[in-house]
Amino acid sequence: MSKVEGAKTTGDDAASGDFIRTMIEEDLANDKHKGRVATRFPPEPNGYLHIGHAKSICLNFGVAKQYSGTCNLRFDDTNPTKESVEYVNSIKEDVRWLGFDWEDREYYASNYFDRLYEFAVELIAKGLAYVDSLTADQIREHRGTLTEPGKASPYRDRPVEENLDLFERMKAGEFADGTHVLRAKIDMAHPNLLMRDPTLYRIRKAHHHRTGDKWCIYPMYDFTHCLSDSIEHITHSLCTLEFENNRALYDWVLDHLNVPSRPEQTEFARLNLGYTVLSKRKLIELVDQGHVSGWDDPRMPTISGLRRRGYPPEAIRNFCDRIGIAKRDSIVDMALLEYSVREHLNVVAPRHMGVLRPLKLVIENYPDDQVEELDFINNPERPEDGTRKVPFSKVLYIEQDDFREVPFRKYFRLAPGREVRLRYAYLVTCTDFVKDEATGEILEVRCTYDPETRGGNAPDGRKVKGTIHWVSAAHALEAEVRLYDYLFKAHNPSTIAEGGHFSDHLNPESLEVLADCKLEPCLADIEPGSRFQFERLGYFCADAKESTPGKPVFNRTVTLRDTWARIEKARKAAEQSKKK
Ligand code: ATP
Ligand code: MG
């Protein structure tokens, strides 16, 4: 199998040697954090997880495992209007499916609301926070710019007592949304804009999926995150680069409060992937506007979409290991993810035969009612997986692409007078074909078989170059097969450089439904979600959501790039040139 250039070929075990692991090893050597390693994965339950989150999950759970530490699952649920139990449940399912276990350490920032409130009171009492009564717009105007310092709010010097009283009344629900906020009193001229008296609490009279109507003030991310880390005795708080500027505030809060422990934040580059978007906001838009069938649409870069598409968790973990952890943002090629999927499935996936665009093949000299059970190797990569029986009979289906009335150069499949091998069956020679003269469509191909070639080998050693797959017509399982292409046409649909709105770059051909496929009969009993290879066509899985015994549905997980993708490309190019 071919290798993707530049890819590391490490297995499932996390690679040592990135800057985060180096830092942790130094901390351990220096007995910092008393030799403990405690990380957390902190999703906000406002959407489904995507492959970018998988990188963070693999890192946080991976280092915890590697250094005999712990990793908490913590829901950062401080924005009740955007969060829901559905999202919480999907996140837990996805993390578990990826192969990670938070044991009994399932935490919620909302569990800390009482303590966070006490911390806020402590800041006010120390003269380090105040209630501001400017509007959101006014606060923004006062903030200044990168080149100009901000202006102090007229409420900045409210006495401590008044702040304590107002904050308590904010909590008691006396004020409307947006009338007051609690702000840290830091420095309105600070070069880092986030340090210009950031908001710590706001009023939001909204029902929370866990705390119900107990609270009408909610803490902001920057205040919540560092304190949650501290409450949980996290040692290494790993997050993506966009939080680099937030680190100063993270430290300021912890440095000015009497906290239970002192975690440290370290940033790494987020995963960006070509031909897709990795932002919950954009993914929600795709779902809400009906561009996809849901969060688990097999074209989505969500964990649930990849799962439904047939991506194995091992492949996703190997991919995360391969891309490594760096300090600089870049866009990873989708081909690398697909490579990881193929690499894993090549070893584990059983082989089957399926005809996606059927063309009838009649073997003229084969006895009418005869059926032979031929032996097929389940997986050449794993001889221990044994063989199975596949029925063979007089009328078969082959791929339309495997017959040409007029073969082009280097076309080694069926054509008038040509001999090919039917996979594991017999050598057949094309004698005739039936064509709809009006449309040019080939309706049927006729051939004779050589009974001496059972299994597909000629006793006289004559060379037959082409081998094609087939399915016995009388035994075929009729099914729908869905083929997928990239969801976007642009390599980076999110950038302004590509122009327009990101959804302008959606690929209209990302889904192709083939309703009339003929598959090997044993696939009728396949477990939903299980994965296999159709020889020459790629890796597929039974759709876990829509497949039923009466109407089986299969998804193509990924092509066999080295063979079929090339063939399909040639076919599409030929079709295109015909149209012109
Ligand atoms: P999005 O940007 O997609 O809306 P988010 O950062 O708002 O995601 P969170 O739920 O806050 O989503 O993320 C949980 C954790 O996952 C955070 O620590 C975040 O840094 C990390 N994370 C999110 N996106 C990526 C990514 N593309 N690559 C690596 N880590 C990511
Ligand atoms: Mg976020």
Side-chain angles (χ1 to χ4, degrees):
M1 132 145 247
S2 66
K3 278 211 185 107
V4 168
E5 233 169 297
K8 283 191 293 156
T9 47
T10 46
D12 231 357
D13 282 339
S16 186
D18 59 64
F19 78 96
I20 287 185
R21 289 177 166 89
T22 304
M23 168 189 75
I24 291 177
E25 281 164 23
E26 272 168 28
D27 291 350
L28 287 171
N30 297 328
D31 207 31
K32 201 169 171 179
H33 310 292
K34 301 201 180 94
R36 280 186 322 113
V37 174
T39 59
R40 83 288 169 268
F41 172 63
E44 184 182 352
N46 62 349
Y48 281 60
L49 297 181
H50 53 62
I51 178 100
H53 294 110
K55 174 176 178 174
S56 176
I57 292 168
C58 289
L59 176 66
N60 280 295
F61 281 93
V63 297
K65 184 170 171 210
Q66 191 175 349
Y67 300 103
S68 306
T70 51
C71 179
N72 300 350
L73 175 62
R74 183 201 314 141
F75 291 96
D76 213 335
D77 55 347
T78 54
N79 191 355
T81 56
K82 297 207 165 144
E83 298 162 0
S84 77
V85 177
E86 177 197 347
Y87 295 139
V88 168
N89 291 337
S90 76
I91 289 168
K92 290 202 284 189
E93 182 184 359
D94 289 349
V95 175
R96 226 178 265 125
W97 178 79
L98 276 173
F100 299 103
D101 184 3
W102 56 92
E103 296 169 342
D104 57 353
R105 296 178 308 278
E106 177 179 325
Y107 299 126
Y108 294 81
S110 57
N111 288 359
Y112 311 138
F113 282 172
D114 285 299
R115 292 178 79 176
L116 296 174
Y117 181 82
E118 291 306 317
F119 280 125
V121 169
E122 183 183 335
L123 275 185
I124 297 171
K126 286 175 170 167
L128 294 172
Y130 60 97
V131 173
D132 196 351
S133 309
L134 293 180
T135 64
D137 283 342
Q138 289 170 323
I139 289 178
R140 211 170 300 121
E141 282 157 22
H142 278 67
R143 189 171 298 129
T145 64
L146 282 173
T147 50
E148 279 169 55
K151 271 192 316 200
S153 160
Y155 304 102
R156 195 170 196 263
D157 291 318
R158 268 181 168 145
V160 167
E161 287 312 317
E162 190 181 333
N163 283 320
L164 287 172
D165 176 61
L166 282 171
F167 188 51
E168 197 179 331
R169 288 165 58 197
M170 279 167 64
K171 178 187 178 214
E174 285 188 28
F175 308 115
D177 287 15
T179 51
H180 305 280
V181 293
L182 183 73
R183 297 179 72 177
K185 195 169 183 177
I186 305 179
D187 179 359
M188 285 308 292
H190 202 286
N192 178 349
L193 267 67
L194 291 177
M195 297 293 274
R196 293 184 186 171
D197 291 10
T199 300
L200 305 180
Y201 267 89
R202 59 186 167 173
I203 302 171
R204 181 145 298 184
K205 294 191 168 155
H207 187 84
H208 187 283
H209 63 102
R210 287 181 66 84
T211 58
D213 297 317
K214 174 172 176 193
W215 294 89
C216 63
I217 54 171
Y218 289 94
M220 303 298 287
Y221 169 86
D222 285 309
F223 186 65
T224 311
H225 200 82
C226 55
L227 289 169
S228 303
D229 281 346
S230 171
I231 290 168
E232 292 175 18
H233 293 263
I234 298 301
T235 56
H236 299 85
S237 182
L238 311 175
C239 64
T240 35
L241 279 177
E242 68 268 25
F243 293 104
E244 204 164 9
N245 284 337
N246 302 60
R247 180 163 17 104
L249 183 50
Y250 186 103
D251 289 337
W252 184 91
V253 172
L254 295 180
D255 288 344
H256 290 86
L257 284 168
N258 187 15
V259 290
S261 79
R262 188 59 174 81
E264 278 178 23
Q265 173 180 310
T266 307
E267 309 85 24
F268 63 95
R270 61 189 287 119
L271 169 66
N272 300 300
L273 201 55
Y275 298 101
T276 191
V277 291
L278 294 184
S279 139
K280 276 186 282 191
R281 186 178 55 74
K282 292 187 177 127
L283 295 174
I284 286 174
E285 200 177 315
L286 292 176
V287 173
D288 286 350
Q289 300 192 354
H291 294 299
V292 292
S293 64
W295 285 100
D296 64 353
D297 186 300
R299 294 166 293 178
M300 289 279 271
T302 50
I303 305 296
S304 50
L306 298 174
R307 174 167 61 232
R308 197 169 153 203
R309 174 87 170 255
Y311 281 31
E314 296 88 343
I316 296 176
R317 295 202 301 267
N318 285 343
F319 167 75
C320 290
D321 182 22
R322 278 205 171 92
I323 57 176
I325 303 297
K327 261 280 182 201
R328 188 138 40 90
D329 277 319
S330 65
I331 301 184
V332 174
D333 204 326
M334 188 72 100
L336 186 58
L337 177 57
E338 293 177 345
Y339 168 77
S340 297
V341 172
R342 278 188 203 103
E343 178 194 49
H344 181 76
L345 292 180
N346 176 49
V347 177
V348 303
R351 273 52 168 179
H352 285 287
M353 290 199 296
V355 173
L356 300 189
R357 297 175 181 88
L359 170 62
K360 197 182 265 186
L361 179 78
V362 179
I363 307 174
E364 289 169 328
N365 60 338
Y366 195 85
D368 280 354
D369 300 324
Q370 182 168 306
V371 177
E372 284 179 83
E373 296 282 332
L374 301 176
D375 288 313
F376 269 64
I377 295 169
N378 283 326
N379 184 350
E381 299 288 322
R382 290 212 303 207
E384 67 272 23
D385 287 359
T387 59
R388 70 181 182 288
K389 300 282 186 199
V390 176
F392 181 86
S393 63
K394 183 183 179 82
V395 182
L396 309 173
Y397 288 111
I398 63 170
E399 294 288 345
Q400 291 167 13
D401 274 346
D402 284 339
F403 174 80
R404 279 284 171 278
E405 182 181 354
V406 183
F408 49 84
R409 218 166 70 84
K410 294 201 173 170
Y411 184 87
F412 298 118
R413 290 165 276 157
L414 266 186
R418 285 274 183 88
E419 185 170 49
V420 297
R421 177 180 299 104
L422 295 177
R423 179 73 158 156
Y424 292 136
Y426 289 101
L427 300 183
V428 293
T429 303
C430 176
T431 52
D432 199 4
F433 61 92
V434 182
K435 180 169 157 179
D436 180 334
E437 289 301 337
T439 63
E441 190 191 350
I442 305 291
L443 301 174
E444 184 177 309
V445 176
R446 306 190 71 86
C447 65
T448 54
Y449 85 118
D450 178 352
E452 301 301 313
T453 58
R454 194 173 198 267
N457 298 308
D460 62 0
R462 68 181 186 271
K463 288 265 178 297
V464 173
K465 261 201 165 161
T467 299
I468 65 176
H469 60 272
W470 51 271
V471 169
S472 167
H475 305 89
L477 171 70
E478 313 228 327
E480 176 176 312
V481 174
R482 299 173 183 171
L483 307 182
Y484 302 100
D485 196 352
Y486 295 153
L487 188 50
F488 288 90
K489 286 178 298 181
H491 183 58
N492 186 359
S494 305
T495 54
I496 315 245
E498 304 277 5
H501 189 64
F502 80 95
S503 62
D504 298 342
H505 301 290
L506 280 162
N507 175 7
E509 289 168 15
S510 57
L511 169 64
E512 185 178 3
V513 177
L514 301 172
D516 180 32
C517 304
K518 312 286 183 185
L519 313 182
E520 199 181 306
C522 70
L523 289 168
D525 302 323
I526 196 169
E527 287 283 318
S530 55
R531 311 172 185 94
F532 58 90
Q533 184 194 99
F534 275 141
E535 302 212 16
R536 302 172 69 223
L537 300 176
Y539 294 99
F540 291 75
C541 75
D543 190 90
K545 198 168 174 181
E546 290 172 19
S547 197
T548 61
K551 183 176 179 271
V553 177
F554 294 87
N555 296 316
R556 178 154 68 189
T557 307
V558 66
T559 56
L560 296 177
R561 184 186 34 176
D562 298 335
T563 54
W564 195 254
R566 214 179 49 220
I567 294 169
E568 273 195 322
K569 209 168 148 191
R571 183 180 62 79
K572 285 202 172 137
E575 257 174 22
Q576 286 295 321
S577 66
K578 238 196 283 172
K579 275 187 207 154
K580 276 177 197 161

